Amino acid sequence: MAAGPYNYSYIFKYIIIGDMGVGKSCLLHQFTEKKFMADCPHTIGVEFGTRIIEVAGQKIKLQIWDTAGQERFRAVTRSYYRGAAGALMVYDITRRSTYNHLSSWLTDARNLTNPNTVIFLIGNKCDLDAQRDVTFEEAKQFADENGLMFLECSAKTGENVEDAFLDTAKKIYQNIQDGSLDLNAAESGVQHKPATPRNPLNTDQTPNKEGCAC
Amino acid sequence: MAGGTEKFGHSDVDGYGFKRTEDFDYKDYEEFMSQYLSVLARRASRWKDIVGTDESSVSKSSKVKRFCRKGIPNEHRAMVWMSVTNADVSLRQNTGLYEKYINEKLEPKVEESIKLDIHRTFPDNIYFADIQDPQAMRRPLKHVLTAIARKNTRIGYCQGMNFLAGLLLLAIQNEEKVFWLMDTVINKILPDFYGPDMLALKAEQELLGEVVKWKLPDVHAHLEELSVQWCLIGMKWFICLYADVMPVETVLRIWDCLFLEGPKILLRVALTLIKLNREKILACRTFPEAVDLFRDLVKDPSTLHCHTFLESIFKETGSFPESKIKKLREECIERVKKDS
């Protein structure tokens, strides 16, 4: 990271969760690199991506935590949820089992983040419409019933990927503006950075101090 | 397939079939190889004396331990690994069992997990990328993972085991041997690493924290200050036993020691990486900087120079008394049990 003034005024922490093979890392890669990785390696533990975006004229740095999807890693990845301002919850429209597990992912997301965390449901692989196993309508209904934002996306073609990440940021920003998200609250998942030279004592991101819960 | 060392120069694929990245430093690699080849030649002639004429097994003596630390020549690697782990005994005593396992049905959930990861295993390796190739490794990989899950129903399949099996296949070239070696690794050398609760794996990462606190207290204090969790650093390193993490030749040299000496080697490697990068770690001022550094330091040129690196894992880390490690490990296991 270059020294000198910050070139962004906020940092938002995101997490990406969902079953293995739904395309979490590919979505992240598409968003940060604007490219599709056909043979995206699977994530072991956690990986990390960043991109600076602009919302309402404000530069925001998204710090995105991409987690492993396999069940046995959940005990470990749960410790990364804390302090997330946004959670992208992903299923694969061609595999119903990944949709059926959403309620358990949602329970984790709700229990381990703060009440203002924006949860965005993504139905990935919408380019594979011929192999569709989950309809748009039923996922939309699930999203509405649970107060989630929702889009079908394709990490392969890039369709709606920008929108999912950006709409989440807009919603978080809106929550800050209308006061429903208190930036001073611990674990809001948002840090405000004045656009002035960096303070050497200031740390960029401070997740939980208790360390790993695993 | 040749071993990883004969083929060098400007080939864009290494001796194990891995495509080299665009920024691969050929000059540095050639310099390294020009020295390493003479090491290899010397090791080959020294090993000849201990493998004997039938080349069927080696004993677990202190001489063999010393020899393994200096690297097993490619031509003996499979035999020595099988021999020092006693996987060769399991193979001999269980004729036909492997064939039986690969033809048995798995629980659908486990089968699907394996299927999802087959095409995500070393996609940058020509033997794993090409399905048409008769030498292609995807089928053997699927067989080995299926057989492991079938034999070890409690463990099933754990993501990361695909890289372990994949690299063993490239190094050993015999799927039945790979199966028995892997079965020995997950049950005897690293028990409870891969089970559903991954208890020993988590404890080992906590243990890494304790070892760093003991050997490099300033680094430990600094990482605590930045709230970097040990499981964030060690997860992939320990699950994959550095496969898909460090350069291939270095990983195989690590395994030469690991299969004989056990999990202490994983700690020594981690501690060495941390020690070699001590200044850089201490210079990190934020959590993301530290996370990025830990992702990159495994690709540092020092890790490519496998012989020097392996020497340093014993020199740089100092003594690792078994009794102290055992006591610390027990404490870590208790801590992890309490937290879960």
Side-chain angles (χ1 to χ4, degrees):
Chain A
M1 205 180 296
Y6 286 107
N7 50 359
Y8 50 87
S9 26
Y10 291 93
I11 300 175
F12 291 177
K13 174 180 171 178
Y14 281 16
I15 50 169
I16 311 183
I17 55 177
D19 275 12
M20 66 184 281
V22 296
K24 298 180 290 298
S25 303
C26 290
L27 284 165
L28 174 60
H29 193 78
Q30 176 62 257
F31 179 67
T32 57
E33 309 293 321
K34 299 198 167 68
K35 267 190 261 168
F36 176 60
M37 250 203 289
D39 289 303
C40 197
H42 56 82
T43 308
I44 291 172
V46 68
E47 307 258 345
F48 210 59
T50 55
R51 193 178 131 187
I52 294 173
I53 57 160
E54 206 173 299
V55 173
Q58 298 278 355
K59 286 223 167 32
I60 296 168
K61 181 173 180 171
L62 299 184
Q63 191 184 82
I64 307 151
W65 297 57
D66 174 23
T67 60
Q70 197 182 18
E71 178 70 30
R72 68 191 67 191
F73 288 89
R74 275 171 84 165
V76 181
T77 52
R78 277 188 186 112
S79 62
Y80 306 132
Y81 284 52
R82 202 179 308 193
L88 307 182
M89 189 167 73
V90 188
Y91 69 96
D92 172 353
I93 69 152
T94 71
R95 278 194 297 142
R96 175 153 289 274
S97 62
T98 67
Y99 176 80
N100 292 342
H101 293 153
L102 286 176
S103 55
S104 123
W105 287 109
L106 185 59
T107 305
D108 269 9
R110 291 244 197 266
N111 289 344
L112 299 166
T113 61
N114 70 68
N116 284 303
T117 299
V118 174
I119 305 177
F120 201 110
L121 179 65
I122 295 178
N124 191 30
K125 310 196 188 178
C126 72
D127 53 293
L128 302 175
D129 199 48
Q131 297 162 47
R132 178 185 286 276
D133 205 10
V134 181
T135 65
F136 177 87
E137 290 71 25
E138 65 175 313
K140 179 81 179 87
Q141 193 185 343
F142 175 84
D144 289 344
E145 282 166 1
N146 290 284
L148 314 174
M149 297 168 84
F150 171 60
L151 273 178
E152 283 191 349
C153 300
S154 166
K156 189 170 183 179
T157 66
E159 185 182 343
N160 283 343
V161 174
E162 287 276 311
D163 290 341
F165 283 83
L166 296 184
D167 289 356
T168 306
K170 282 179 199 156
K171 180 72 185 157
I172 296 166
Y173 188 73
Q174 195 187 321
N175 288 347
I176 297 170
Q177 295 304 305
D178 68 19
S180 56
L181 183 63
D182 177 8
L183 292 190
N184 297 318
E187 296 165 12
S188 68
V190 173
Q191 287 169 68
H192 190 48
K193 294 277 167 203
T196 51
R198 73 190 300 164
N199 172 356
L201 296 174
N202 207 348
T203 52
D204 210 349
Q205 153 81 1
T206 319
N208 65 85
K209 284 295 287 181
E210 295 99 292
C212 181
C214 60
Chain B
M1 198 188 319
T5 48
E6 294 86 28
K7 211 168 154 188
F8 71 107
H10 290 261
S11 166
D12 57 355
V13 174
D14 74 15
Y16 292 96
F18 288 93
K19 289 180 201 142
R20 292 191 162 127
T21 53
E22 278 169 20
D23 57 356
F24 186 79
D25 188 342
Y26 288 95
K27 193 166 164 281
D28 180 53
Y29 184 67
E30 271 185 48
E31 273 173 28
F32 153 67
M33 278 310 289
S34 64
Q35 293 161 24
Y36 193 44
L37 282 175
S38 67
V39 173
L40 289 174
R42 179 168 162 76
R43 297 323 304 159
S45 87
R46 300 282 285 146
W47 273 90
K48 220 178 237 165
D49 298 338
I50 59 168
V51 296
T53 43
D54 63 343
E55 294 185 13
S56 64
S57 69
V58 290
S59 57
K60 255 180 143 172
S61 64
S62 60
K63 186 175 182 183
V64 168
K65 178 172 153 186
R66 210 171 62 237
F67 270 47
C68 287
R69 287 185 174 192
K70 289 180 180 176
I72 306 169
N74 273 319
E75 61 271 31
H76 303 310
R77 195 163 253 152
M79 180 275 287
V80 177
W81 284 354
M82 295 297 287
S83 183
V84 296
T85 56
N86 292 327
D88 56 352
V89 178
S90 305
L91 171 70
R92 273 200 306 277
Q93 288 175 350
N94 295 285
T95 324
L97 200 58
Y98 175 68
E99 285 295 321
K100 179 175 151 301
Y101 285 137
I102 62 175
N103 291 310
E104 283 179 3
K105 218 59 209 121
L106 281 177
E107 199 191 314
K109 207 175 146 192
V110 180
E111 192 181 343
E112 194 193 12
S113 305
I114 293 174
K115 199 177 141 211
L116 280 169
D117 280 351
I118 294 292
H119 71 282
R120 303 199 280 182
T121 307
F122 299 134
D124 57 343
N125 184 290
I126 56 168
Y127 301 105
F128 281 94
D130 189 354
I131 312 169
Q132 307 303 324
D133 187 334
Q135 271 190 298
M137 285 292 181
R138 286 190 186 186
R139 250 171 84 92
L141 178 65
K142 185 160 180 274
H143 287 166
V144 170
L145 294 176
T146 302
I148 288 286
R150 196 63 200 80
K151 179 169 182 290
N152 303 279
T153 45
R154 199 186 69 85
I155 294 172
Y157 170 70
C158 174
Q159 289 196 298
M161 283 178 10
N162 55 324
F163 290 115
L164 176 55
L167 191 52
L168 284 173
L169 281 165
L170 291 171
I172 294 182
Q173 300 278 311
N174 174 315
E175 55 180 271
E176 190 177 13
K177 283 186 181 170
V178 169
F179 165 74
W180 286 108
L181 180 55
M182 196 162 153
D183 186 63
T184 310
V185 169
I186 65 176
N187 288 305
K188 304 231 170 78
I189 300 175
L190 305 167
D192 293 327
F193 252 51
Y194 300 96
D197 59 4
M198 300 200 290
L199 182 73
L201 177 85
K202 291 177 200 162
E204 211 63 15
Q205 287 162 352
E206 288 293 306
L207 178 56
L208 172 60
E210 293 301 318
V211 169
V212 174
K213 194 173 173 179
W214 161 38
K215 299 267 186 182
L216 301 164
D218 54 346
V219 174
H220 186 267
H222 187 66
L223 289 174
E224 288 275 300
E225 183 64 36
L226 299 181
S227 300
V228 177
Q229 304 148 359
W230 290 100
C231 62
L232 195 63
I233 297 167
M235 176 68 77
K236 186 160 184 186
W237 294 5
F238 285 12
I239 285 193
C240 297
L241 316 182
Y242 298 101
D244 201 45
V245 173
M246 285 173 67
V248 178
E249 199 63 37
T250 311
V251 178
L252 299 178
R253 288 285 309 267
I254 292 169
W255 290 2
D256 288 347
C257 306
L258 172 71
F259 293 158
L260 181 63
E261 300 185 50
K264 231 162 64 166
I265 297 297
L266 297 178
L267 291 169
R268 279 190 187 274
V269 171
L271 185 63
T272 305
L273 287 168
I274 293 169
K275 191 170 176 192
L276 292 175
N277 292 278
R278 181 173 165 271
E279 298 303 324
K280 284 188 204 160
I281 297 169
L282 292 175
C284 286
R285 288 192 297 186
T286 66
F287 175 84
E289 270 181 60
V291 173
D292 285 347
L293 176 64
F294 274 96
R295 193 186 49 210
D296 297 338
L297 60 83
V298 290
K299 308 281 181 208
D300 186 83
S302 65
T303 63
L304 183 71
H305 295 242
C306 60
H307 198 61
T308 320
F309 183 80
L310 263 287
E311 278 174 353
S312 64
I313 77 164
F314 299 103
K315 270 193 210 141
E316 294 283 339
T317 57
S319 74
F320 259 69
E322 192 62 49
S323 56
K324 176 154 187 167
I325 293 293
K326 205 176 146 203
K327 187 170 161 282
L328 283 175
R329 184 178 282 130
E330 277 163 13
E331 286 169 14
C332 290
I333 289 174
E334 284 313 308
R335 202 189 306 161
V336 170
K337 270 188 189 159
K338 221 163 64 194
D339 287 346
S340 57

